[in-house]
């Protein structure tokens, strides 16, 4: 590949992976047939290069090549993660027709080289469910702990360039969490607080990220099935305050059968214990940007909502009316929006004055409703990022509290 037998794009991609692998200390590459990256471009990219030629933009922004080369089709099963715009509601986002057209052209280009346009941070909700032990190259930080931990797949948190190179070569450096010896737990965690709801899992996850940064915990004492939606929120929260790419929960997650197995027999002297005061500290921190209780924007669906979440929001809004002056958006993968539409839930939400959005989110697309000053969300990740990205104050609580805020325009904790 490096000699150009498969074309200059593959040669450039392989050169990038070899340099990247050297930095990681990888002895070799590993084959992958499951890549999730983000190579959409828009006006910001074409302005920098002064061209809308897709091969040139892909060469520069996705492969870090100095000279443009013709891009060859993806060699691995490849998916586009979340993008910058909702293909139905781009006007609501405040995008121009020109921006919309450029993003559409970019999607068509990616599809033409074999990339599935899933446009979600939760590919595992819409058909890309990697198997146990499968080597993947995924980029989205909330999806990485989900597939590593719940499914037992193997990925590091990749970037735009490494996933693009992996798409073209079907290879990724054999380093980090691809190796069994790097997947053992380093920390033992217990909770003194009962954890069951999605809200509680989010708070617990945010606290874990605070304390563990990029370490691997095993959580002792959680029994029984845990709702995958709660674990979707859990992983997103811990990868906002920290960078926990893998956790073990014997009996719940895919790999470790016991705490000792997770720790490879090496028990740390002390366990990290999550206490009631930690719970309160996280909730206080995640509400700390808000200077009041008036709410003019409610955002649900970070990571993208699954069907149960959309249905639950429809149930809470059924027959009611969102307060004038409040914008209510719930985000879900576009494939699930279609199912929700056919199930009648989109209709119920829209009758109440809300919108079901897809393909994007406010933090990634960098948009909020015009004039929005303070938003409410049930996502620890969105409230962590959006105030920093858009300068909008944030409130964080349960889904019910967020819907109530949409109906009344007031936050009641
Ligand atoms: Fe997904 Fe955007 Fe949240 S990418 S995880 S909805 S910040």
């Amino acid at each position: 590949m490096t000699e150009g037998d498969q074309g200059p794009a593959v040669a450039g991609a392989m050169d990038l992976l070899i340099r990247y692998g050297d930095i990681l200390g990888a002895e070799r590459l590993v084959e992958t047939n499951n890549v999730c990256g983000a190579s959409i471009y828009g006006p910001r990219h074409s302005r920098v290069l002064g061209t809308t030629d897709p091969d040139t933009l892909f060469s520069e922004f996705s492969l870090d090549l100095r000279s443009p080369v013709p891009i060859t089709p993806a060699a691995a099963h490849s998916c586009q993660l979340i993008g910058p715009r909702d293909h139905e509601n781009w006007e609501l986002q405040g995008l121009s027709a020109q921006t919309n057209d450029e993003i559409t052209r970019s999607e068509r280009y990616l599809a033409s080289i074999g990339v599935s346009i899933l446009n979600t941070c939760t590919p595992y909700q819409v058909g890309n469910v990697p198997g146990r032990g499968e080597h993947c190259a995924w980029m989205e930080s909330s999806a990485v702990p989900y597939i590593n931990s719940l499914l037992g797949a193997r990925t590091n948190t990749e970037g735009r360039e490494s996933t693009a190179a992996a798409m073209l070569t079907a290879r990724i450096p054999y380093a980090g969490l691809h190796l069994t010896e790097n997947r053992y737990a380093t920390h033992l965690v217990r909770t003194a607080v009962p954890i069951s709801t999605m809200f509680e899992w989010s708070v617990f996850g945010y606290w874990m990220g605070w304390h563990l940064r990029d370490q691997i915990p095993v959580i002792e004492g959680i029994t029984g099935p845990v709702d995958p939606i709660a674990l979707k929120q859990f992983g997103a929260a811990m990868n906002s305050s920290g960078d926990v790419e893998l956790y073990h929960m014997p009996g719940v997650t895919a790999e470790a059968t016991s705490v000792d197995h997770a720790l490879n027999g090496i028990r740390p002297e002390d366990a990290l214990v999550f206490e009631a005061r930690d719970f309160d500290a996280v909730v206080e921190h995640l509400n700390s940007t808000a200077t009041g209780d008036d709410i003019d924007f409610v955002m649900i669906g970070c990571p993208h909502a699954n069907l149960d979440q959309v249905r639950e929001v429809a149930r809470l809004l059924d027959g009611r009316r969102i307060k004038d002056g409040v914008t209510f958006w719930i985000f879900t993968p576009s494939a699930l929006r279609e199912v929700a539409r056919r199930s009648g839930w989109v209709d119920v939400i829209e009758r109440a004055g809300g919108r079901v959005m897809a393909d994007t989110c406010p933090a990634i697309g960098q948009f909020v409703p015009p004039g929005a000053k303070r938003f409410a969300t049930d996502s620890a990740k969105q409230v962590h990022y959006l105030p920093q990205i858009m300068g909008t104050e944030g409130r964080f609580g349960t889904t019910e509290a967020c819907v109530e805020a949409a109906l009344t325009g007031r936050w009641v904790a």
Side-chain angles (χ1 to χ4, degrees), residues 136-349:
C136 301
W138 281 35
M139 177 177 162
E140 160 58 36
S141 72
S142 69
V144 163
Y146 192 98
I147 68 165
N148 270 324
S149 312
L150 258 79
L151 307 181
R154 298 187 172 207
T155 187
N156 297 307
T157 308
E158 297 296 343
R160 178 175 185 141
E161 297 82 358
S162 60
T163 49
M167 284 176 191
L168 300 192
T169 60
R171 304 287 193 287
I172 197 74
Y174 188 56
L177 294 177
H178 290 285
L179 281 77
T180 301
E181 62 261 37
N182 293 336
R183 295 178 67 86
Y184 292 112
T186 54
H187 288 69
L188 177 60
V189 176
R190 294 195 194 102
T191 172
V193 182
I195 306 288
S196 64
T197 66
M198 186 181 101
F199 176 68
E200 291 161 355
W201 277 103
S202 301
V203 175
F204 186 32
Y206 199 87
W207 174 82
M208 296 246 293
W210 254 353
H211 287 274
L212 292 172
R213 313 311 301 183
D214 61 353
Q215 301 298 304
I216 302 175
V218 53
I219 304 154
E220 191 173 43
I222 304 280
T223 53
V226 180
D227 187 346
I229 303 173
L231 295 179
K232 165 170 78 77
Q233 305 303 122
F234 178 60
M238 68 170 72
N239 271 280
S240 303
S241 52
D243 183 19
V244 180
E245 297 172 304
L246 167 64
Y247 58 87
H248 300 287
M249 237 185 279
V252 176
T253 50
E255 285 181 7
T257 53
S258 66
V259 169
D260 280 340
H261 179 199
L263 290 161
N264 200 20
I266 307 166
R267 276 215 168 225
E269 276 183 18
D270 297 317
L272 205 56
V273 182
F274 181 57
E275 317 254 10
R277 63 170 179 271
D278 300 316
F279 192 101
D280 295 342
V282 169
V283 174
E284 191 183 326
H285 173 75
L286 291 177
N287 280 277
S288 60
T289 59
T291 58
D293 291 325
D294 288 339
I295 298 294
D296 49 23
F297 171 36
V298 175
M299 187 278 174
I300 306 285
C302 166
H304 274 175
N306 89 343
L307 280 175
D308 277 350
Q309 289 175 282
V310 180
R311 189 183 53 178
E312 174 64 3
V313 164
R315 188 186 70 75
L316 292 169
L317 286 175
D318 197 7
R320 304 171 87 185
R321 185 78 206 157
I322 287 162
K323 190 177 165 66
D324 282 349
V326 179
T327 301
F328 182 94
W329 289 340
I330 175 167
F331 291 78
T332 189
S334 62
L336 297 188
R337 177 167 64 186
E338 197 45 43
V339 178
R341 187 172 279 140
R342 293 175 70 178
S343 308
W345 304 325
V346 171
D347 231 29
V348 172
I349 292 169

Side-chain angles (χ1 to χ4, degrees), residues 82 121 140 142 236 299 301-304 360-361 363-364 381-382 385:
I82 199 163
C121 46
E140 160 58 36
S142 69
M299 187 278 174
C302 166
H304 274 175
T360 187
C361 80
I364 289 292
K381 180 171 178 177
Q382 197 71 204
Y385 284 113

Side-chain angles (χ1 to χ4, degrees), residues 34-38 77-81 118 123 128 137-140 158-159 163 167:
N34 194 331
V35 182
C36 285
H77 173 74
S78 302
C79 299
Q80 164 65 28
L81 290 163
L118 291 185
N128 187 340
W138 281 35
M139 177 177 162
E140 160 58 36
E158 297 296 343
T163 49
M167 284 176 191

Side-chain angles (χ1 to χ4, degrees), residues 16 38-51 53-66 159-162 164:
L16 185 150
S39 276
I40 296 275
Y41 58 80
R44 275 182 289 183
H45 299 93
S46 50
R47 253 198 316 274
V48 170
L49 292 192
T51 177
D53 174 59
D55 279 354
T56 305
L57 292 162
F58 195 96
S59 299
E60 167 73 27
F61 290 111
S62 293
L63 291 178
D64 198 26
L65 294 175
R66 294 218 166 79
R160 178 175 185 141
E161 297 82 358
S162 60

